[in-house]
């Protein structure tokens, strides 16, 4: 049992866990539901344990081993002291280290060095590590932030479909496809939108990128404005950290690569791995003798 | 009691009633709460009766007269047949005529002739009357519509305050004032926004106009984009109805007048009266012999 480690990457949509040996080789994986420690500490704790247990099970270990294997957790919201305290109190692990989802994303993408990572999925958040210090930009959620994220893209495209329906803007293939999803009824689209979660809007982001790639005028407007919002945030990272390595990660990272400004494209690095790989690497550094100093 | 009439202007925020004699002279007024017949028919019926009763009371009449005086109601959502049926079934009036809030706004602003009216308050909605036929543009609500309305202005300005906090965009007096309203905490601003109603965002619109008028760079960006959205909708009205008279009404109408495009400014008419005046005029035409044919 010596030198087994668990890495956990917990976010607002999913919690993922991996069991590894002391060299970082993955022995088992597990996935469960949301681990939003800010809004639901009980649910987050339950999903963290569920994902960890599934990873142990895949490696042939029992639930009892959960209590002895050291764990590194990268959790959204962990920089809020109250949330970090609450989640620690609810977890069964004997030895655990807790840090942000940003740190594991950055470690996974770039390794232990300095650099920046843009996490572009349903929302958008940016992390910079400089001389070992982490800084966060963005990540404020759908209503006032997350510019360039999938939810804002989906919402903007649906808004364009309504404007096209009213004859205020020119319709396009994209606005027709979106309106057809609601039986051609703007009232049905508005009804949907009033109870939609960000993830529901974000489901339409891929469709918008698809249409932008074929030159659809509405999709081009939405994607160009979104890419401009990402560019502005990346300019901020550059102003803070200078020409450090930069990775785009998250569900929309690959879709955005051709749309962001050349000044940023030219310094993009392909990410080494994901946040779960980062959590395993950090678990190694923390808990396995001889693999580096604790962060 | 002969020739007394009631006019009702019912919207999502307020319901207003006026009692008038056959010449249209106002004898009493009453105001109550929201009359949103789409989402709350019972509440709407209650507020309509409450406003009507208050108007009678101010004129020295009793609640019993409610059942005999003919009423013209302009209600948001009345173009939805189910909603119109539901509200009719809940009202005590012996003689009533029901039409849209758009018709009473247009009648109040322009009188009985053809023309267009842009209602710019918390949201935005546009009405055109051409050869007696009404057409509606916009009015889709905060999440996917209402471009240029006060709620969207407030939200956009708060988003700018968050971007300024993150160093992504340049701060201004406006972003500082907004952030100070939340003790300088973007997290507090985001918390507020997640439970805010459109009216809560719209409360900040006047502040944004104030700053735009002093040349604040953030306010200028927000107001120019908002005025552009209004201009696009007015272009649509022009395309549909040609150079008919145009009025801006609603809480932000006067603020917008200097910001909309010259091509629209030059055909603006000062509104004659408000929606309640329109409801009284329509009640006259419907119920008072010799004041014109029923619409």
């Amino acid at each position: 049992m010596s030198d087994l480690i668990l890495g956990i990457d917990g976010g607002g949509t999913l919690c993922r866990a991996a069991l590894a040996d002391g060299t970082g080789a993955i022995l088992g994986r597990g996935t469960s539901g949301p681990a939003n420690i800010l809004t639901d500490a009980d649910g987050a704790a339950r999903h963290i344990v569920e994902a960890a247990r599934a990873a142990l099970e895949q490696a042939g270990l029992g639930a009892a081993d959960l209590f002895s294997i050291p764990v590194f957790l990268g959790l959204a919201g962990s920089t809020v002291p109250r949330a970090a305290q609450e989640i620690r109190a609810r977890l069964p692990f004997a030895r655990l280290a807790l840090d942000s989802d940003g740190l594991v994303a950055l470690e996974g993408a770039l390794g232990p060095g300095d650099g920046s990572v843009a996490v572009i999925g349903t929302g958008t958040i940016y992390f910079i590590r400089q001389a070992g210090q982490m800084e966060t930009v963005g990540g404020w959620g759908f209503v006032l932030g997350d510019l360039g994220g999938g939810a804002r893209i989906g919402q903007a495209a649906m808004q364009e479909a309504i404007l096209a329906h009213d004859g205020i803007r020119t319709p396009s293939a994209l606005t027709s496809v979106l309106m057809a999803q609601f039986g051609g009824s703007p009232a049905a689209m508005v009804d949907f939108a009033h109870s939609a979660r960000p993830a529901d809007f974000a489901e339409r982001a891929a469709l918008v990128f698809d249409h932008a790639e074929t030159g659809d005028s509405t999709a081009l407007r939405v994607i160009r404005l979104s890419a401009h919002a990402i560019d502005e945030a990346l300019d901020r990272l550059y102003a803070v950290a200078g020409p450090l390595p930069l990775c785009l990660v998250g569900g929309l990272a690959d879709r955005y690569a051709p749309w962001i400004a050349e000044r940023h494209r030219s310094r993009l690095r392909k990410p080494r791995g994901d946040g779960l790989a980062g959590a395993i690497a950090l678990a190694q550094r923390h808990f396995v003798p001889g693999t580096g100093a604790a962060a």
Side-chain angles (χ1 to χ4, degrees), chain A residues 1 4 19 53 55-65 69:
Chain A
M1 285 288 298
L4 286 181
L19 179 75
R53 194 171 285 164
L56 294 189
E57 208 170 289
Q58 207 183 62
L61 299 181
D65 296 310
I69 300 171

Side-chain angles (χ1 to χ4, degrees), chain A residues 128-152:
Chain A
I128 309 164
R129 181 160 60 190
Q130 200 177 17
Q133 293 296 306
M134 289 288 294
E135 191 176 328
T136 302
V137 172
W140 296 108
F142 178 65
V143 182
L144 295 182
D146 282 355
L147 275 71
R152 295 292 293 250

Side-chain angles (χ1 to χ4, degrees), chain A residues 80-290:
Chain A
V80 177
R82 174 194 55 76
Q85 218 172 337
E86 280 181 15
I87 196 71
R88 275 178 183 277
R90 282 167 175 77
L91 292 174
F93 310 115
R95 295 167 69 200
L96 73 86
L98 175 60
D99 213 305
S100 72
D101 56 335
L103 180 64
V104 299
L106 204 142
E107 181 80 26
L110 291 169
D114 286 353
S116 312
V117 65
V119 186
I120 311 178
T122 299
T124 47
I125 188 165
Y126 306 85
F127 302 101
I128 309 164
R129 181 160 60 190
Q130 200 177 17
Q133 293 296 306
M134 289 288 294
E135 191 176 328
T136 302
V137 172
W140 296 108
F142 178 65
V143 182
L144 295 182
D146 282 355
L147 275 71
R152 295 292 293 250
I153 290 175
Q155 182 216 22
M158 289 168 76
Q159 178 171 298
E160 293 286 339
I162 297 272
L163 289 167
H165 166 88
D166 271 346
I168 294 175
R169 289 195 187 153
T170 313
S172 74
L174 175 63
T175 63
S176 302
V177 167
L178 287 170
M179 199 50 88
Q181 292 181 349
F182 297 92
S185 161
M189 184 184 272
V190 166
D191 268 356
F192 165 87
H194 278 256
S195 60
R197 296 160 307 143
D200 299 323
F201 289 111
E203 272 179 16
R204 283 156 180 87
L207 185 73
V208 185
F209 275 105
D210 292 346
H211 279 79
E213 284 160 13
T214 66
D216 181 279
S217 59
T218 304
L220 282 173
R221 172 161 44 202
V222 171
I223 295 301
R224 280 178 183 148
L225 278 171
S226 303
H228 181 69
I230 303 277
D231 283 336
E232 287 184 309
L234 297 179
D235 286 336
R236 173 62 185 167
L237 301 196
Y238 192 89
V240 170
L244 290 175
L246 168 69
C247 282
L248 307 187
V249 303
L252 291 179
D254 292 342
R255 305 300 307 249
Y256 261 115
W259 296 100
I260 63 168
E262 174 53 32
R263 65 185 180 277
H264 299 305
R265 259 203 320 268
S266 57
R267 65 195 183 94
L268 275 188
R269 296 251 189 111
K270 199 177 138 56
R272 295 185 190 186
D274 61 8
L276 192 56
I280 288 291
L282 285 158
Q284 272 186 286
R285 292 231 300 282
H286 267 264
F287 300 115
V288 182

